[in-house]
Amino acid sequence: MILGLPTDGLPVTRMTISSVEALEAECLYQFGAVPRRSECRGSGIKLTWLRDLKERLQLTDEENKQRHVKCHIILLLGTILLGDKSGSSVHWKFLPLLRDFGSIAQFSWGSACLAYLYRALCRASRFDCKKIDSSLTLLLVWAWIRLPFLAPVPREPCSFPLANRWGNWERGDRRFRYMKLAHFRKAFDDLQEGQFVWVAYSVDRVDPDIIPADIYMHSFVWSATVPLVSFECIEWHATDRCRRQFGFVQGVRHQERNLDKAHGEVLTDPKNLNWATATSHSFWVMQWTNMYNHVLTEDDGPQHPLDIYMHWYRKKYGNCLNLSDLVVQEDDEGDQGMDDVDQENEEAEEQEPNSLADPVFDLHNMQTHADTESGPPGTHHSHIGADEGQRHTPTHLASHALQRPHFACRIN
């Protein structure tokens, strides 16, 4: 619903090979070109090489059209969806998943995006962590939908995916730009139950006419309590801890699921491994493939009323977060950091108004800044011929490749 990515499909996993020769062979097979060693970063391909290749491709035949779309998809994966802190390269492990152009949409890109975000949030909770990566667009829009008092005024209230509601915002409208960190801490401290939107996608909040029919046709799998899989990254989708998001009564939580060695695995060292069959991962991959057996139902929920759960929660965690009590000298540093970020963003907008890493984008129609590096979104496209005389952009083909069927990314 937020990004319009498919979540019901094959797990995003396969072999990873730490070999420059294998990287070069894959690029030659898929793009007809090979990056120089200076255009690679370990097992990653620099985004500048992909952007240049995309611009050079002549869309005169079907092969080059598909290469153009694959470049665009890899750029999206390496920036907005599954980007890392470097912001300069994308791991080539995703390339083999794009070999069969017609099968790209069979993978659960939405769950992979969510897995990376969960891992990023887990790491960001550490006291010594100063940066966060992954899809912050997904995180921000989720928070704006669930906590409306945090959100800018949406410009496009009737658009899909839901991230497009803020696709044309103006920086001057962001009232929170002038608010200090202490303001947000106080707002969370004073948060009342009625201020959090539990069932955010009900018909009274989202116009059903703008949602593709296949979204709701498979919506019951959104609540599956299963591991989220993306190569080495395994994160638990703990829907049983937020049953109210799915219209069920919340019960006292169970013991946390231990992912053992699969949790925290990284690709910093060379790893030649098939993650789908690896000893540490195969059990969790199998659970993902059996997701239909793990969806939430009313029968497996608690039989006691909500007030019993709330009594347990307050006894264990208290009545409020009390974030304001944690402030010592962090406020001044945090506020200064926010001011610096605002200034940096303004300078970046002036120098590079069409950056691919724009915070909100139209993924459904692929009208991102990657399409229009010479002008505002939607002002210029390289048109290519299609059946029955229709004309579609390569980015529209990317929409078909990544997003059919369309499903919802949910954060718990």
Side-chain angles (χ1 to χ4, degrees):
M1 294 289 281
I2 293 178
L3 299 181
L5 290 170
T7 58
D8 181 23
L10 299 174
V12 177
T13 187
R14 196 166 282 187
M15 187 85 180
T16 56
I17 302 176
S18 301
S19 165
V20 176
E21 292 75 16
L23 183 157
E24 292 174 345
E26 190 68 33
C27 287
L28 182 62
Y29 175 76
Q30 296 217 40
F31 299 125
V34 176
R36 296 189 296 267
R37 296 294 175 93
S38 61
E39 294 168 323
C40 298
R41 183 174 175 266
S43 294
I45 306 171
K46 289 188 177 180
L47 301 179
T48 51
W49 182 80
L50 288 165
R51 291 192 182 104
D52 291 342
L53 174 63
K54 180 185 169 189
E55 289 299 314
R56 292 197 310 268
L57 286 170
Q58 299 295 319
L59 307 180
T60 56
D61 54 55
E62 189 64 27
E63 183 178 29
N64 275 347
K65 294 171 189 176
Q66 292 190 9
R67 287 173 176 172
H68 190 284
V69 172
K70 288 179 179 180
C71 279
H72 189 73
I73 291 174
I74 288 294
L75 285 168
L76 284 175
L77 294 176
T79 53
I80 296 172
L81 300 179
L82 303 172
D84 59 22
K85 292 179 182 178
S86 74
S88 61
S89 63
V90 57
H91 201 290
W92 77 276
K93 64 185 178 182
F94 299 108
L95 277 179
L97 303 181
L98 309 184
R99 285 177 187 168
D100 184 357
F101 189 78
S103 300
I104 296 175
Q106 294 182 8
F107 291 98
S108 178
W109 299 104
S111 66
C113 183
L114 198 55
Y116 270 85
L117 178 57
Y118 281 4
R119 185 177 69 172
L121 291 172
C122 180
R123 292 175 175 174
S125 66
R126 300 171 183 170
F127 75 95
D128 57 345
C129 182
K130 296 182 179 180
K131 296 182 179 180
I132 186 172
D133 53 14
S134 189
S135 180
L136 300 186
T137 298
L138 176 58
L139 178 62
L140 278 174
V141 176
W142 181 90
W144 292 346
I145 291 174
R146 303 282 178 175
L147 299 163
F149 65 88
L150 293 178
V153 177
R155 290 287 179 180
E156 301 290 341
C158 296
S159 59
F160 182 85
L162 299 186
N164 293 341
R165 292 183 174 187
W166 295 277
N168 295 318
W169 70 357
E170 297 178 10
R171 295 183 65 84
D173 291 341
R174 293 187 296 161
R175 62 186 185 280
F176 57 83
R177 180 184 177 190
Y178 305 101
M179 296 176 182
K180 300 297 184 182
L181 186 58
H183 168 85
F184 292 102
R185 285 197 170 115
K186 186 65 165 59
F188 279 112
D189 288 348
D190 297 338
L191 181 66
Q192 302 298 311
E193 182 180 354
Q195 292 179 277
F196 187 88
V197 180
W198 286 103
V199 185
Y201 308 133
S202 57
V203 294
D204 60 325
R205 291 189 173 274
V206 178
D207 183 358
D209 293 335
I210 68 172
I211 309 299
D214 47 13
I215 284 283
Y216 289 112
M217 187 170 67
H218 294 83
S219 61
F220 69 96
V221 301
W222 297 349
S223 69
T225 308
V226 291
L228 303 171
V229 180
S230 179
F231 288 92
E232 81 286 357
C233 180
I234 302 288
E235 294 290 336
W236 191 252
H237 194 221
T239 55
D240 56 327
R241 297 191 172 209
C242 53
R243 292 174 58 88
R244 295 183 68 184
Q245 287 198 36
F246 306 98
F248 299 121
V249 176
Q250 181 63 54
V252 176
R253 70 182 193 181
H254 303 295
Q255 182 66 27
E256 294 88 348
R257 193 61 182 261
N258 183 9
L259 296 174
D260 201 26
K261 295 181 180 179
H263 191 257
E265 187 73 63
V266 295
L267 291 180
T268 53
D269 299 323
K271 287 187 174 66
N272 300 318
L273 194 63
N274 187 340
W275 297 98
T277 59
T279 304
S280 59
H281 284 56
S282 59
F283 174 76
W284 307 112
V285 173
M286 184 62 67
Q287 280 210 22
W288 166 262
T289 59
N290 294 326
M291 70 173 73
Y292 292 96
N293 297 324
H294 300 285
V295 297
L296 296 181
T297 65
E298 200 67 70
D299 296 335
D300 60 15
Q303 302 304 315
H304 51 72
L306 179 64
D307 57 352
I308 295 180
Y309 166 77
M310 294 304 298
H311 174 75
W312 167 84
Y313 182 89
R314 291 190 177 105
K315 183 178 180 180
K316 190 171 182 65
Y317 298 104
N319 290 323
C320 57
L321 293 174
N322 293 321
L323 294 176
S324 300
D325 296 342
L326 303 177
V327 181
V328 183
Q329 57 182 357
E330 188 177 346
D331 266 347
D332 293 337
E333 296 176 359
D335 292 337
Q336 181 63 43
M338 292 172 68
D339 293 339
D340 292 342
V341 168
D342 278 338
Q343 183 176 356
E344 290 174 3
N345 287 342
E346 288 177 354
E347 294 173 355
E349 283 182 353
E350 294 174 358
Q351 298 173 5
E352 191 178 2
N354 300 306
S355 169
L356 180 64
D358 192 74
V360 180
F361 61 99
D362 185 342
L363 185 61
H364 183 66
N365 291 313
M366 292 296 182
Q367 305 290 341
T368 66
H369 289 183
D371 305 336
T372 57
E373 295 177 353
S374 61
T379 60
H380 170 74
H381 298 284
S382 298
H383 289 281
I384 58 178
D387 295 338
E388 299 178 1
Q390 294 179 353
R391 299 174 70 83
H392 297 281
T393 65
T395 51
H396 287 153
L397 291 180
S399 175
H400 287 271
L402 264 182
Q403 300 175 294
R404 286 195 173 180
H406 308 276
F407 296 103
C409 288
R410 298 185 73 117
I411 304 179
N412 301 316

